[in-house]
Amino acid sequence: MDISQISQSLQRDAVWVVFLNVLLQQAGLPVPAVPTLLLAGSLAATPGHIGRLLAAAVIASVIADWLWYLAGKAFGYRVLAGLCKLSINPGSCVSQTEARFIRWGPGSLVLAKFIPGFSTVAPPIAGSLRMALPVFLPAAAAGAALWAGIALGAGWLLRTEVHSAIAYLDSHAAGALIVIVGLVALWLGWKLWQKYRFRVLSDLPHIAPDELIAALQAAAPLLFLDLRGPRLQAETGPIPGARAAELDRLMDAVGDWPRDQPIVTLCACPEDATAIHAARTLLRAGYLSVRPLKGGYDAWRQNT
């Protein structure tokens, strides 16, 4: 099937194509929805058709978000940690995302669709934090309407340019395929580079749980920063001897702690990502001894 046939099929079944594409993408599958929305918007014949496409996109998005909301409400942190482990870039972590969600409130659901990586994790975070469903659903719907509406509207306003691009791609299909494959390869290469860079940044001294326990019992002062998300801290309680901290407000948590005194950072992220990030930030700020706890909260719990 060539590109013109794909366009004809989309024009014939546009509402269902948009619905399924958005549903799969918002469910977490790597299926881009914006190109479909742009193309569908360019093929819409009337404002009423645009309205039906928008309704399909919003309904599909809200269904997917509601399912993630229920998963977060039922399983809490385990769902969020699982999503984080699936990410190519482990530096995008649950605790940092959760802290931002709490700070922004329901408005974060409106903005989530425009923030890469946040769109999928925002609904389960809302569920894990027990956001009321009458608050969650309108916010999720508003975010979906804004996101899909902009894409559909752009497609309709630029329909001449979109149709010209389709005609060009149809007559240069082989070259277009090469360009698309190249762009995908560049994107994947960038993500893998981020992962490699994280591995390099992770190469700094860690502290083992038994060492930390001994240090906390010693007479020498030690600042122990707990960078777990607020939800997990509420579920499991505070860690004795630790000070709650957020990555975005790290220097507030450190306060006037002497720069020559040791600091230990802990998180509950895959590969200790937030704890490593915090340690790097503090070392760049001039603190002389900052070490992440190896294995994070799970290792701490197993040794206490």
Side-chain angles (χ1 to χ4, degrees), residues 278-297:
R280 286 284 181 186
T281 300
L282 292 173
L283 288 169
R284 286 195 299 268
Y287 291 89
L288 301 180
S289 175
V290 189
R291 292 191 289 171
L293 177 64
K294 190 167 185 62
Y297 177 68

Side-chain angles (χ1 to χ4, degrees), residues 20 44 48 69 96 104 110 119 122 127 147 151 172 180 197 202 238 265 290:
L20 291 174
Y69 169 90
Q96 184 179 0
W104 296 343
V110 178
S119 178
W147 166 72
H172 300 80
I180 292 171
R197 184 171 177 270
S202 301
T265 58
V290 189

Side-chain angles (χ1 to χ4, degrees), residues 170-184:
D170 196 29
S171 59
H172 300 80
L177 180 61
I178 293 173
V179 171
I180 292 171
V181 171
L183 291 174
V184 171

Side-chain angles (χ1 to χ4, degrees), residues 10 28 50 53 63 124 205-206 243 254 263 279 286 296:
L10 178 59
I50 287 278
L53 293 172
I63 289 174
H206 285 58
R243 181 183 298 178
V254 173
I263 300 175

Side-chain angles (χ1 to χ4, degrees), residues 67-90:
L67 293 175
W68 278 121
Y69 169 90
L70 293 178
K73 191 171 184 178
F75 302 107
Y77 175 78
R78 285 174 290 173
V79 172
L80 304 176
L83 287 172
C84 224
K85 289 177 181 178
L86 292 176
S87 173
I88 292 178
N89 179 16

Side-chain angles (χ1 to χ4, degrees), residues 37-157:
L37 293 170
L38 287 170
L39 183 55
S42 74
L43 296 172
T46 64
H49 193 190
I50 287 278
R52 290 193 294 273
L53 293 172
L54 179 60
V58 171
I59 291 171
S61 181
V62 170
I63 289 174
D65 288 350
W66 176 63
L67 293 175
W68 278 121
Y69 169 90
L70 293 178
K73 191 171 184 178
F75 302 107
Y77 175 78
R78 285 174 290 173
V79 172
L80 304 176
L83 287 172
C84 224
K85 289 177 181 178
L86 292 176
S87 173
I88 292 178
N89 179 16
S92 175
C93 246
V94 171
S95 57
Q96 184 179 0
T97 305
E98 186 182 348
R100 289 174 178 171
F101 183 90
I102 291 173
R103 192 174 307 127
W104 296 343
S108 61
L109 292 167
V110 178
L111 301 174
K113 298 290 186 289
F114 300 94
I115 304 174
F118 191 53
S119 178
T120 303
V121 299
I125 288 176
S128 69
L129 294 175
R130 300 296 191 271
M131 177 181 284
L133 195 59
V135 175
F136 171 79
L137 290 177
L146 183 61
W147 166 72
I150 289 175
L152 288 168
W156 190 79
L157 290 173

Side-chain angles (χ1 to χ4, degrees), residues 220-233:
L222 171 72
L223 181 60
F224 183 18
L225 297 179
D226 180 4
L227 290 144
R228 296 176 299 153
R231 177 62 183 173
L232 185 58
Q233 292 187 33

